Amino acid sequence: MHPFSTNFNRLMTSGFYTIILLILSNVFMTLAWYGHLKLQQTGTSSNWPLFGVIAFSWAIAFFEYCCQVPANRIGFSGNGGPFSLVQLKIIQECVSLIVFAGIANVMFQNESLHWNHALAFLCLIAAVYFVFMD
């Protein structure tokens, strides 16, 4: 087997795992940041003290970190991954917005996305393009 193909396969695999972990991380992050608002709307957490809401969110955020930290370690070029630090951050932000839009659409159906939101997301896609340029 050619050494280039082995290295390429390793980079593709670590890039894939990085993105999957970033998606999972952002699902937990979005639920930690905004899930308590849905619980409040349903009346589940309406009587919780602020400290209880914070503790609940931190408990969910623990799982976010369990995915985010390995994603960054696996994906970072300084650790043998395919992405620079800036690329990791831009990928994370785009994944974050995609996950947020999906979860917000399911959990908060009265919140809708408008043309300006789509345009802002296209600007972020352009940022991804520019960050990955040599």
Side-chain angles (χ1 to χ4, degrees):
M1 183 177 270
H2 192 272
F4 174 76
S5 64
T6 304
N7 190 39
F8 178 77
N9 288 339
R10 184 183 55 77
L11 289 174
M12 289 298 292
T13 301
S14 61
F16 175 76
Y17 286 135
T18 297
I19 292 171
I20 293 300
L21 286 168
L22 287 174
I23 291 169
L24 287 171
S25 167
N26 279 281
V27 167
F28 287 119
M29 177 190 72
T30 302
L31 292 174
W33 284 12
Y34 303 105
H36 65 90
L37 298 174
K38 184 63 177 179
L39 290 177
Q40 186 178 19
Q41 279 184 347
T42 63
T44 304
S45 67
S46 297
N47 296 323
W48 292 6
L50 182 57
F51 180 78
V53 173
I54 292 169
F56 175 78
S57 293
W58 275 3
I60 296 171
F62 169 78
F63 296 104
E64 178 218 340
Y65 279 87
C66 287
C67 297
Q68 181 75 31
V69 171
N72 287 332
R73 289 182 70 95
I74 292 167
F76 181 52
S77 59
N79 292 335
F83 305 118
S84 72
L85 188 63
V86 173
Q87 290 171 334
L88 276 170
K89 183 59 182 170
I90 293 294
I91 292 167
Q92 192 284 52
E93 291 299 331
C94 286
V95 167
S96 177
L97 284 174
I98 292 168
V99 168
F100 172 79
I103 289 176
N105 193 33
V106 170
M107 289 176 52
F108 300 95
Q109 293 176 351
N110 58 336
E111 296 283 330
S112 59
L113 296 175
H114 301 287
W115 69 268
N116 55 324
H117 302 133
L119 186 59
F121 188 70
L122 287 175
C123 290
L124 283 171
I125 298 298
V128 170
Y129 173 78
F130 290 123
V131 165
F132 279 88
M133 285 179 59
D134 286 333

